[in-house]
Amino acid sequence: MCEAMDAVPIRVLLVEDESAYAELLEAMLSCGPACHFELQHAPLFADALRRLGERTFDVVLLDLTLPDQQGLETYAKVKAVAPAVPVIVLTGLDDEKLALQAVRTGAQDYLVKGAIEGRMLARVIRYAIERKRAAEALRQSEEFFRLISESVTDLIAVIDQDGRRLFNSPSYRSLLGDPAQLKGTDAFGEVHPEDRPRVRQVFQETMATGQGQRAEYRMLLRDGNVRHIESQGSVIRDETGRPCKAVVVSRDITEHKQSVAVLRSALSDVKQSHEELKATQLQLVQAERREAVSTFAAGVAHEVKNPLQAIILGVDYLSHHVAAGDQNAAMVLGDMDAAVHRADGIIRGLLEFSACGPRDVKDEDLNVIIEHSLAAVEQELANYPIQLRRELAADLPLLKLDARSVKHVFINLLMNAIRARTAGGRIVVRTASEELTADHPRLARKPGHLKPGDMVVTVAVEDRPAANVEDLPMAKPVRPASALGLTVLKKIIELYGGTIETATTRDGGNQLNIIFKTNKKTSP
């Protein structure tokens, strides 16, 4: 019973001079396991060539002994006319050797007359067509790969699991000579001896895991030149799925690295020049600003600060004499008190920043400066129910500072902390020195000036609410350092290579951290 009646017919050209045998083959194909063959019979070779020129066939059944053409030349001429069509040679027992020669020169298969039956004939035809298609696909793939390898400038190599070269693209010629001469040689032979163990290890890991890796290394050429190479490997797997070969795509990055080195050097020079220019500009700006501001500061002290103090005293007086239960008046006075103290903080910061006199930068003990700052605010601190806690680390490294300027910074920070806790609370002053590790929380914030291995000295100033805040009188609004005041203080700290960070404590307090970078581990 015939099958697959709706399939696209396989077009077969039968080149056979014996009519009876041709009719037998046609009957076999029409009454075989599947009747989707369309057969045309050409009894003469000239007729076969004409038919091949007129239309396309899927397969040719070719007798090599015809009245007008005999021998291997029969097959050769068919292939010249229709190179893409698979050919199955028909032969007798006496010329089977000739059929084998035809297969060696490209015929897909051969059949011995008298030993053919329908199922075998159909199967041989299908297999011949599939083998031809597979061979053509492989040829196109190889041609595609050849064109790519000849067109790209990247270095493409195929290496077996022992590290021997199987293929090298033409682009290798400029580095290692004729690529054909490289086949079978050690793929690591030209790798620089210092880099060779590492590159071998990467290759072995790639073959073991099947995961390609990138590697950068040096290649030592025969003439002694060193080239920098970047390679990316991928694996080819066998029929069992195990890696058996590696495809390595490499690129010569020598010029790129040289360009990067030149650019980095230029950038370093530009950065150094920029820093020198900034330092010069800063000196000029500081000199001009101090000269101008010092003249203006005296007027500010009399024209602004004194009235502010009077307003502060007046607001404080009114806040103690406001009618009981008048919430609106209390709120207005609270807002006025906050605004006046904020303005006072700004004036204090400007006065400190514009103080006359050159900076006296030398090795200073930060703990000593902090003690002096605490002594300066001791009287102010005594006016409020605030606990002061010192946590000063021993043996801090000495820092290059102007003690007077830094002392003013700490006084401002402490005064802001006191004003934030006038209703009661705690002020904690803490110092520490440490070496930053790669997983240090401070580095998680990605500060541009710090990196693992840096030694830093930190000062933390915290104002925190009282433990039993509900037992205290109604607290005034918490006022951290004003924006302008903190900006001025940051500028002063930056003069000595430090930074100021702000944070909030778990209990709702304010924390300011001052970080100084130092190369010293302990003070002498």
Side-chain angles (χ1 to χ4, degrees), residues 50-88:
R50 179 181 59 79
R51 290 173 184 268
L52 287 171
E54 291 176 350
R55 63 173 299 179
T56 301
F57 290 90
D58 297 311
V59 66
V60 175
L61 299 178
L62 177 64
D63 188 347
L64 295 180
T65 305
L66 300 168
D68 55 345
Q69 184 68 54
Q70 294 86 33
L72 282 177
E73 190 175 354
T74 307
Y75 169 74
K77 288 184 177 180
V78 169
K79 293 303 296 180
V81 174
V85 180
V87 176
I88 300 173

Side-chain angles (χ1 to χ4, degrees), residues 226-495:
V226 174
R227 308 296 294 181
H228 292 267
I229 306 296
E230 182 182 62
S231 296
Q232 175 67 48
S234 302
V235 300
I236 300 175
R237 300 178 185 273
D238 60 18
E239 62 275 7
T240 66
R242 299 177 59 185
C244 62
K245 300 181 184 69
V247 176
V248 181
V249 180
S250 305
R251 180 172 299 173
D252 188 338
I253 58 172
T254 306
E255 283 72 22
H256 172 72
K257 290 184 73 69
Q258 291 172 348
S259 299
V260 170
V262 172
L263 180 59
R264 285 178 176 170
S265 177
L267 288 174
S268 178
D269 293 341
V270 170
K271 184 177 180 180
Q272 182 178 355
S273 299
H274 179 64
E275 293 299 328
E276 292 174 355
L277 179 61
K278 281 176 59 179
T280 303
Q281 289 177 333
L282 182 61
Q283 292 174 359
L284 292 173
V285 170
Q286 290 292 337
E288 294 176 0
R289 180 164 54 185
R290 283 175 178 163
E291 182 178 354
V293 174
S294 62
T295 303
F296 181 67
V300 170
H302 291 88
E303 301 298 330
V304 179
K305 186 171 179 58
N306 290 341
L308 278 177
Q309 293 300 318
I311 296 172
I312 291 172
L313 292 174
V315 171
D316 184 63
Y317 173 80
L318 292 174
S319 65
H320 289 85
H321 292 79
V322 67
D326 191 344
Q327 297 295 328
N328 290 332
M331 183 175 64
V332 171
L333 287 172
D335 291 342
M336 292 175 62
D337 181 64
V340 171
H341 277 87
R342 187 160 56 250
D344 184 56
I346 294 173
I347 295 300
R348 286 175 180 269
L350 288 174
L351 288 174
E352 296 291 348
F353 188 58
S354 62
C356 297
R359 291 186 293 142
D360 182 17
V361 180
K362 59 183 179 181
D363 288 337
E364 296 286 356
D365 186 337
L366 202 58
N367 284 342
V368 173
I369 297 176
I370 291 173
E371 290 289 2
H372 290 168
S373 304
L374 290 170
V377 300
E378 184 177 1
Q379 185 175 356
E380 182 74 12
L381 190 62
N383 295 327
Y384 304 101
I386 299 175
Q387 296 177 352
L388 174 65
R389 190 168 73 195
R390 296 176 174 85
E391 297 179 6
L392 306 182
D395 298 328
L396 285 182
L398 298 181
L399 300 174
K400 292 286 186 183
L401 304 171
D402 174 25
R404 181 172 176 273
S405 299
V406 176
K407 174 185 172 183
H408 291 321
V409 170
F410 287 129
I411 291 175
N412 274 270
L413 294 179
L414 290 168
M415 289 299 297
N416 276 287
I418 292 171
R419 295 187 191 111
R421 297 300 165 196
T422 54
R426 290 173 292 158
I427 293 179
V428 181
V429 181
R430 183 186 306 110
T431 63
S433 65
E434 58 183 331
E435 181 177 351
L436 298 181
T437 58
D439 58 349
H440 195 282
R442 194 173 302 285
L443 292 179
R445 295 190 289 272
K446 299 182 179 179
H449 65 294
L450 297 177
K451 60 183 183 301
D454 283 346
M455 289 295 302
V456 296
V457 174
T458 59
V459 183
V461 178
E462 302 176 2
D463 62 82
R464 314 181 73 161
N468 299 316
V469 68
E470 65 275 4
D471 297 334
L472 296 171
M474 181 176 294
K476 296 180 181 179
V478 175
R479 294 184 302 277
S482 63
L484 179 58
L486 186 56
T487 300
V488 173
L489 301 182
K490 284 183 176 180
K491 292 296 183 182
I492 297 175
I493 292 299
E494 287 173 1
L495 293 175

